[in-house]
Amino acid sequence: SYELTQPPSVSVSPGQTARITCSGDALPKKHAYWYQQKSGQAPVVVIYEDNKRPSGIPERFSGSSSGTLATLTIGGAQVEDEADYYCYSTDSSGNHIWVFGTGTKVTVL
Amino acid sequence: EMQLVQSGAEVKKPGESLKISCKGSGYSFSSYWIAWVRQMPGKGLEWMGIIYPVDSETRYSPSFQGQVTISVDKSINTAYLQWSSLKASDTAMYYCAREAHALDVWGQGTTVTVSS
């Protein structure tokens, strides 16, 4: 079955840039989405369709995708950005089957 | 306000059946797919499957095919996730979410605990 691979953890100092990668074979043809999940809360979408930011999401969150790698960038990370982040995409079958990435714990300290 | 409200926490024994619900409001429920997502304790998100309320078209992750059943009653704007015989390994938080341009509206989650 299709897999999306992320690094388990990323650490960043406040105000610095955090980059989280997501690797998947179908990403050259399929959009990537990014979800933030804070402890004890439901996930929230922070980036959709590779690089679009929903209303209400701070501008410091941005997304990009090139080849088999999608990247979520938090430019000027804040303490409140500490959370788990998951990429999300679909395989190339066209069957509307989706998968989450393995997840990345972002620590801001 | 668009929202999905899920049914309350459940405590069940292995072998028992269970059906949890997800009720939508504040938007045209039938116009959007509803996905179900599992999160086992201390683990990541897992996409289980998705259903389209208009015609009940359903897709399952290969990992969950045959293990659960997703259904919908569009007359009451409610989607369901059910098990016929629970296992201890079904212990998890289960979320429903609306699929628009992304999974943009999430339920609050339903905790399912399966223990003898």
Side-chain angles (χ1 to χ4, degrees), chain A residues 51-108:
Chain A
N51 54 20
K52 297 180 174 65
R53 194 174 52 249
S55 60
I57 300 301
E59 291 184 7
R60 62 181 179 272
F61 289 90
S62 63
S64 63
S65 188
S66 178
T68 59
L69 202 68
T71 302
L72 173 69
T73 301
I74 310 174
Q78 305 296 307
V79 172
E80 60 264 32
D81 300 330
E82 188 161 293
D84 294 319
Y85 291 84
Y86 298 89
C87 61
Y88 178 75
S89 189
T90 183
D91 66 14
S92 55
S93 69
N95 290 333
H96 205 163
I97 303 296
W98 294 78
V99 295
F100 284 98
T102 49
T104 299
K105 171 67 177 177
V106 171
T107 302
V108 183

Side-chain angles (χ1 to χ4, degrees), chain A residues 33 35 37 95-98, chain B residues 39 47 59 99 101 103:
Chain A
Y33 301 72
Y35 294 87
Q37 187 181 31
N95 290 333
H96 205 163
I97 303 296
W98 294 78
Chain B
Q39 188 165 39
W47 188 87
R59 299 278 189 271
E99 183 187 83
H101 293 293
L103 298 177

Side-chain angles (χ1 to χ4, degrees), chain B residues 49-63:
Chain B
I50 199 164
I51 190 163
Y52 190 51
V54 167
D55 57 6
S56 297
E57 182 177 351
T58 309
R59 299 278 189 271
Y60 292 94
S61 163
S63 300

Side-chain angles (χ1 to χ4, degrees), chain B residues 31-52:
Chain B
S31 298
Y32 298 89
W33 294 76
I34 295 289
W36 286 94
V37 177
R38 183 176 79 173
Q39 188 165 39
M40 299 176 75
K43 302 298 184 182
L45 303 175
E46 299 175 271
W47 188 87
M48 302 176 71
I50 199 164
I51 190 163
Y52 190 51

Side-chain angles (χ1 to χ4, degrees), chain B residues 37-106:
Chain B
V37 177
R38 183 176 79 173
Q39 188 165 39
M40 299 176 75
K43 302 298 184 182
L45 303 175
E46 299 175 271
W47 188 87
M48 302 176 71
I50 199 164
I51 190 163
Y52 190 51
V54 167
D55 57 6
S56 297
E57 182 177 351
T58 309
R59 299 278 189 271
Y60 292 94
S61 163
S63 300
F64 292 94
Q65 180 82 49
Q67 308 304 308
V68 297
T69 300
I70 295 171
S71 60
V72 67
D73 185 343
K74 62 183 179 182
S75 70
I76 55 171
N77 292 353
T78 302
Y80 302 96
L81 178 65
Q82 68 180 91
W83 296 259
S84 59
S85 180
L86 286 160
K87 303 185 283 287
S89 58
D90 293 318
T91 294
M93 175 74 83
Y94 294 88
Y95 294 101
C96 62
R98 183 186 86 155
E99 183 187 83
H101 293 293
L103 298 177
D104 65 338
V105 180
W106 291 70

